[in-house]
Amino acid sequence: MTQCALCKADDASPVSVAPKDDTVPLCATCADGVANGPQDAPHWQCLNEAIWSTEPAEQVLAYRLLHRLDAAWANDLLEIAYLEPEVLEWAEAGMPSGEAIVHRDVNGTVLQNGDTVTLIKALPVKGAGFTAKQGTAVRKISLEADNAEHISGRVEGQRIVILTKFVKKS
């Protein structure tokens, strides 16, 4: 029996990792996540280990799945993960390319993952019990893939979602 490269489940079948000819053994759940997009379930916590694999094809699949997950832990993991430049290029080459969503700050400047922004207005943070003060720098922002008006970042140790109309690029 072959083990899944991502979650170590038994009964895995080989799956191609485009655009190269490499194959990786995946269980039915992981193969479905690669083909149709992962659902945020406890199963995908296996990506915490898979992104650090020594096999480039496994890193590529983990990177792609983490990008498609809509979860704060996945964004946090992507922030600290390191892929060799050629592996990163491979991972990004095979990612779905739909219409690119462009995130812009209040001045119309294009924002990218990892940028630093400054709050232009004091913002009450719902559920956290504090107000993010005007002028606060938010470093290493993450862009929300499905909404051009939302970014996320850490303020006072809490990951929050911020509207792009309330930030300017630093």
Side-chain angles (χ1 to χ4, degrees):
M1 286 196 142
T2 307
Q3 277 193 332
C4 176
L6 300 179
C7 70
K8 307 302 182 217
D10 290 329
D11 199 25
S13 303
V15 173
S16 177
V17 184
K20 293 189 177 183
D21 292 332
D22 289 16
T23 60
V24 173
L26 295 180
C27 67
T29 304
C30 291
D32 182 60
V34 168
N36 303 316
Q39 302 300 316
D40 191 12
H43 178 83
W44 297 110
Q45 293 291 328
C46 65
L47 297 176
N48 283 312
E49 290 182 26
I51 193 70
W52 302 109
S53 171
T54 57
E55 294 298 320
E58 293 174 22
Q59 288 180 322
V60 166
L61 288 178
Y63 181 86
R64 291 176 184 170
L65 288 165
L66 286 167
H67 264 283
R68 295 175 72 184
L69 276 168
D70 185 25
W73 66 266
N75 290 334
D76 290 343
L77 188 54
L78 280 170
E79 285 180 13
I80 63 170
Y82 174 79
L83 278 72
E84 294 291 334
E86 61 274 1
V87 175
L88 182 60
E89 185 178 319
W90 176 15
E92 291 176 343
M95 290 178 65
S97 59
E99 287 186 30
I101 294 179
V102 178
H103 294 75
R104 296 182 184 273
D105 71 359
V106 70
N107 298 322
T109 305
V110 176
L111 299 172
Q112 296 183 10
N113 275 323
D115 281 347
T116 298
V117 296
T118 304
L119 301 179
I120 63 165
K121 175 182 176 182
L123 302 171
V125 180
K126 295 179 182 175
F130 70 91
T131 299
K133 297 180 179 145
Q134 180 178 348
T136 300
V138 182
R139 292 175 179 79
K140 294 185 181 179
I141 63 166
S142 298
L143 306 179
E144 299 294 325
D146 58 345
N147 192 334
E149 295 180 2
H150 290 178
I151 60 170
S152 61
R154 291 198 181 275
V155 175
E156 294 188 23
Q158 300 254 346
R159 178 165 286 284
I160 64 171
V161 175
I162 307 166
L163 296 177
T164 55
K165 64 184 179 182
F166 298 126
V167 300
K168 66 178 179 179
K169 188 173 179 177
S170 299

